Amino acid sequence: MTAEAVSAYYPQKPTKADNNLMAASAVVLNVKKREVWFVGDCLCLVDGVLYEYPKPEEVVNAEKRSKYIHELLKEGRAMVEELRVKDIGRESIKNELRSCCERQNRDYAVINGMDIPENLVHVISVADAKEIILASDGYPILKRTLEESERELERIIKNDPLCIDIYKATKGVMKGYKSFDDRTFVRIDLY
């Protein structure tokens, strides 16, 4: 994966992480080994049990953004629709986000063209699993079916488009967008 990222996006292999590198996450089912591998902040539901490995400080940064936006709204310094055009809450945590990016493949794994240290790849055994769902972190609440997961996402977006209450995130749903993040959902039934 790393070699593909390098050849597709960079003239030479990057040696230092920063916020200018493209970065992707992946959750992979290795059927032969009966394992699921996490490279980055994806989700997996194994027979109803959720596994997730968020980025370091993701919860702290989301909470900080939420608190700041709540202050802005309470004091009348911003309106919800304004924040959906320009997310100054996200801007308020940009240094923290930048710092997190600089620690890619040092503190947590991502696909960004650099070598991925094996010790940063989370691995779970699914030897006896009957059903596995692999998903990106664009699904805040992962359910057994795509329809149920989409319905939960829709409920969150309708009631909390800034992602500051029901689901605290480092970004909200910008005006004209359908969600706050990309989404991938794959359900695998094993027999």
Side-chain angles (χ1 to χ4, degrees), residues 2-55:
T2 297
E4 288 297 319
V6 170
S7 66
Y9 293 98
Y10 308 115
Q12 61 186 27
K13 185 176 181 175
T15 57
K16 182 181 174 210
D18 65 37
N19 63 322
N20 294 315
L21 293 179
M22 73 89 197
S25 297
V27 58
V28 178
L29 172 63
N30 182 321
V31 176
K32 186 175 180 180
K33 290 188 173 188
R34 302 286 292 201
E35 295 176 339
V36 173
W37 304 339
F38 294 80
V39 180
D41 56 348
C42 293
L43 308 165
C44 179
L45 205 57
V46 180
D47 293 331
V49 178
L50 179 66
Y51 295 87
E52 61 183 324
Y53 300 95
K55 289 182 212 148

Side-chain angles (χ1 to χ4, degrees), residues 50-66:
L50 179 66
Y51 295 87
E52 61 183 324
Y53 300 95
K55 289 182 212 148
E57 292 97 35
E58 186 85 4
V59 172
V60 172
N61 290 334
E63 184 63 45
K64 185 175 179 180
R65 176 182 168 272
S66 170

Side-chain angles (χ1 to χ4, degrees), residues 19 88-100:
N19 63 322
I88 55 179
R90 186 167 175 85
E91 290 175 15
S92 76
I93 60 169
K94 69 180 176 189
N95 290 335
E96 290 86 344
L97 296 174
R98 199 172 284 133
S99 172
C100 192

Side-chain angles (χ1 to χ4, degrees), residues 130-181:
K130 302 289 185 248
E131 177 186 79
I132 298 171
I133 297 161
L134 310 174
S136 66
D137 66 339
Y139 287 105
I141 298 175
L142 190 56
K143 296 287 189 178
R144 288 191 62 236
T145 68
L146 176 60
E147 183 179 82
E148 291 173 301
S149 298
E150 284 285 335
R151 199 169 29 248
E152 281 298 312
L153 177 62
E154 219 173 271
R155 180 186 64 81
I156 290 168
I157 290 170
K158 179 182 177 193
N159 296 298
D160 185 20
L162 296 178
C163 298
I164 58 171
D165 288 312
I166 298 170
Y167 177 70
K168 294 178 183 174
T170 59
K171 57 188 168 187
V173 182
M174 300 306 288
K175 186 175 181 160
Y177 287 42
K178 293 183 179 182
S179 188
F180 64 91
D181 208 347

